[in-house]
Amino acid sequence: MTPVQLDQRTARLIVQRAMQILSYSVNVMNAQGVIIASGDPQRVNQRHEGAVLALTENRIVEIDEATAATLKGVKPGINLPVIFRDTMVGVVGISGKPDEVRNYAELVRMAAELVLEQADLLEKSQWDRRYRDELVSQLISPEQQPQSVNSIAAYLGISPDKPRIALILALPAPDHERFHRLVEYIDNLKMDLLVSIRGINSLVVLKPVACDADFQPLSPVQKQLQALRRQLPDLLMYVGGFFHGHNGLHRSW
């Protein structure tokens, strides 16, 4: 998974969030000191020497009128390094007289860190979804790649050898909003389900089956599906057979 970067999209969101609560222009500079988002669009892509100083010395840099006149691409204001996951990822700045904007400086930095935290969580969630999709595809494939299966399962904290059965859950008719809610609902069920989207209205679900030491179901599989059936009464549910062994999920699928 790639680390979160202070890219233009994230930077624009930081500017938007900060300027919703401040009457001052906010700038975001990347790790090279280049303005990548600003309340003043004409400043985007300019190198900000105050940000470079903040990055180089890892400190808050206050710039008054006199100092601004001696620096390139700089207006009076305060610039603060942004540290995320123990890495200096950029700088946020507030334009204005330092005495006027000083009280808002930490607030803007906190807003930047919050946006980065949200972006990081979203990135991880998207990667988790991709990995889960890939793991389901591998487990139901006739030609599994054990090394890949084990690697993805380890990342997700899932045992690839747990006995499971393949299901297809489908809406009676395509409905984008309802399907989106269904995916969210199933993701939040505390049933250790592996879920992959297939098509515009159906899901592949690999559901654990409670077994004894010899991998024989402790109760009929249909009975073990009753709780899921009760929670999803309006869906079409197609159930594969239960097979143990290397290609058991492929046979179930």
Side-chain angles (χ1 to χ4, degrees), residues 18 35 54 65-66 70 88 91 109 115 123 132 146 152 168 174 178-179 202 234:
I35 300 173
E65 292 278 0
T70 67
M88 194 181 306
V91 174
R109 178 152 59 181
V115 170
E123 179 79 3
R132 284 177 179 272
I152 297 172
I168 297 175
R178 188 182 175 198
F179 187 63
S202 64
D234 300 326

Side-chain angles (χ1 to χ4, degrees), residues 18-191:
M19 292 185 64
Q20 284 176 347
I21 55 177
L22 297 176
S23 57
Y24 299 92
S25 181
V26 173
N27 306 304
V28 177
M29 285 67 74
N30 63 15
Q32 289 72 49
V34 176
I35 300 173
I36 56 176
S38 174
D40 179 0
Q42 293 183 344
R43 300 188 68 188
V44 174
N45 295 325
Q46 294 180 6
R47 185 175 172 83
H48 192 296
E49 291 190 2
V52 173
L53 186 59
L55 289 163
T56 303
E57 300 185 2
N58 189 18
R59 66 178 178 89
I60 297 173
V61 175
E62 296 191 2
I63 300 171
D64 57 19
E65 292 278 0
T67 305
T70 67
L71 298 175
K72 185 177 180 180
V74 174
K75 292 184 178 181
I78 297 180
N79 299 280
L80 305 91
V82 177
I83 311 295
F84 187 72
R85 299 283 189 263
D86 299 322
T87 301
M88 194 181 306
V89 296
V91 174
V92 290
I94 315 174
S95 297
K97 295 180 180 179
D99 289 343
E100 294 179 359
V101 300
R102 189 174 293 116
N103 290 337
Y104 303 114
E106 283 298 334
L107 180 64
V108 171
R109 178 152 59 181
M110 287 173 60
E113 291 171 349
L114 178 60
V115 170
L116 282 165
E117 185 73 36
Q118 291 172 333
D120 188 52
L121 289 172
L122 178 60
E123 179 79 3
K124 185 177 187 303
S125 175
Q126 291 172 341
W127 276 103
D128 281 359
R129 166 61 67 191
R130 293 172 195 165
Y131 281 139
R132 284 177 179 272
D133 282 343
E134 178 60 24
L135 182 59
V136 170
S137 295
Q138 289 271 353
L139 289 173
I140 64 177
S141 170
E143 298 179 359
Q144 283 189 27
Q145 300 176 23
Q147 186 173 357
S148 177
V149 167
N150 291 333
S151 176
I152 297 172
Y155 168 81
L156 294 171
I158 292 170
S159 170
D161 299 321
K162 177 178 285 190
R164 294 179 183 269
I165 190 170
L167 315 172
I168 297 175
L169 302 180
L171 297 177
D175 183 330
H176 176 75
E177 288 299 324
R178 188 182 175 198
F179 187 63
H180 179 72
R181 291 196 302 271
L182 170 65
V183 173
E184 285 190 337
Y185 180 79
I186 291 179
D187 280 343
N188 290 324
L189 287 176
K190 304 300 182 184
M191 302 181 73

